[in-house]
Amino acid sequence: MSSEEEKGGSAETVTLELDLKNPSNNMTTFYRAKHIAYIEGLADKLDSPSSYEGAVTEHLRMSGIYWTYTGLSLLVSDDKAQEILGVSQPKSGSSRPSIVDWVLLCYDKSTGGFGGNVGHDGHLLYTLSALQILVIAEYDLGQLPTEDIVQFIVKLQQPDGSFAGDQWCEIDTRFSYCAMSALSLLGSMGRIDIPKAVDYIASCQNLDGGFGSMMGAESHAGQVFCCVGALSIAKSLHVIRHPDLLGWWLAERQCDSGGLNGRPEKQADVCYSWWILSVLSILGRMDWINRDKLASFIAAAQDADDGGIADRPEDMPDVFHTFFGLAGLSLLGKLPESYRKIDPVYALPVDVIVKHKLSAQIISAGSDRKVDERLSHYEILERKAK
């Protein structure tokens, strides 16, 4: 790696060093500058009245901005990300409001939550995304109507401990994670019935070790992250039955290509680099997969011409997979040390977690009890792998 790259990743490309059986594939290019340009150009593309991307993402724009901002935050300094995206101040010459002002416009006073776009009803998914954006932007959450937001979340908890996403009462373990993560950001975890929330999540663990969207639903890697992440925030990882079985179910998601799939008999997809690696990190079992083969799969899904990362090699990139590909490479330790690191529990830069003193729990499974440095500030539950 060059000295220019070591100082802060200012080089246009970075060489990822891998350890694969074929020595000719052990050095692969990471197109940093093109990924930055791809992310910077997303706003104009999404705002265009004739944009296909804008039309199909209009309802979840809040999450799209979270993926964009957090992904860029792993590539450049906070000040540079603010400048590129117009986070706290509108970009020079732009008629668009700053990202922070836009997020505030999405607050739905009638429900107390944030919607996916201006004028949309409040929903747990977008409430969490809004808070994540604001906390990365160093916005003072105390300026928000925090009590109304907390009440919005608290009222969505059901008698069995589960959470609905909004007033229409769809139940999904995704919403359990969103509720706990959002309340942790607001310093209000004690406002919900944590024991009931934990018991409900535990009831969603299946015989194969995985977790589903609700009790009895098929195990899915995305739901596994939501359940384990929520249990981590609730400091209740002890309720996971047979962590080794869950670890093996996750490890078995690695395909011949090196990529990970979300459930058996499905194609590998870059986004599961995040959903699965984050859980393996929390469980202390990151070495249960071939990390270099996974990094090679993510790198092969890059668009070398226009930037961005696709779901798999030869497909078109999008912001969703770009973010989760970058997050995966960060968790794998394949980005330069000078880049900001992603936290596997909250999906925020580690420095943001430390600054706001967010808490969670992880499992130390190794005989040497070593813990990833990015997780050293969390409570450690010792449950050794067998």
Side-chain angles (χ1 to χ4, degrees), residues 208-211 220-229 232 237 240 242-255 258-261 271-292 294-295 327-328 331-332 342-345 361-366 370-375 378 380-381 383-385:
D208 59 12
F211 289 82
H220 189 282
Q223 306 295 154
V224 171
F225 164 75
C226 292
C227 291
V228 174
S232 173
L237 292 174
I240 297 177
H242 311 300
D244 281 352
L245 182 61
L246 172 55
W248 277 118
W249 187 88
L250 292 167
E252 287 175 345
R253 305 279 62 77
Q254 189 157 36
C255 303
L260 302 169
N261 64 23
C271 71
Y272 295 112
S273 306
W274 164 260
W275 305 120
I276 291 175
L277 282 175
S278 56
V279 178
L280 290 175
S281 181
I282 293 169
L283 298 179
R285 289 161 170 81
M286 280 279 283
D287 58 347
W288 284 25
I289 63 168
N290 188 318
R291 297 161 68 158
D292 286 306
L294 176 56
L331 287 176
L332 288 167
I342 193 77
D343 176 81
V345 179
Q361 184 184 62
I362 61 169
I363 292 179
S364 174
K370 286 186 177 179
V371 174
D372 187 333
E373 182 182 346
R374 78 181 76 201
L375 303 174
Y378 286 146
I380 298 174
L381 173 68
R383 288 183 70 172
K384 294 182 179 179

Side-chain angles (χ1 to χ4, degrees), residues 42 46 56-71 85 99 102-103 106 114-118 120 123-133 136 174-175 178 275 318-321 323-324 347:
L42 283 172
L46 294 177
V56 299
T57 62
E58 191 266 347
H59 66 290
L60 48 72
R61 188 66 59 86
M62 184 71 75
S63 291
I65 289 179
Y66 158 71
W67 300 325
T68 300
Y69 185 21
T70 312
L85 297 178
I99 284 178
W102 180 87
V103 169
C106 293
F114 287 85
N117 210 323
V118 178
H120 290 210
H123 193 286
L124 258 180
L125 286 173
Y126 307 121
T127 297
L128 174 58
S129 292
L131 294 175
Q132 289 171 316
I133 293 166
I136 300 174
R174 290 179 299 159
F175 307 146
C178 290
W275 305 120
D318 59 74
V319 66
F320 176 85
H321 291 94
F323 167 59
F324 288 116

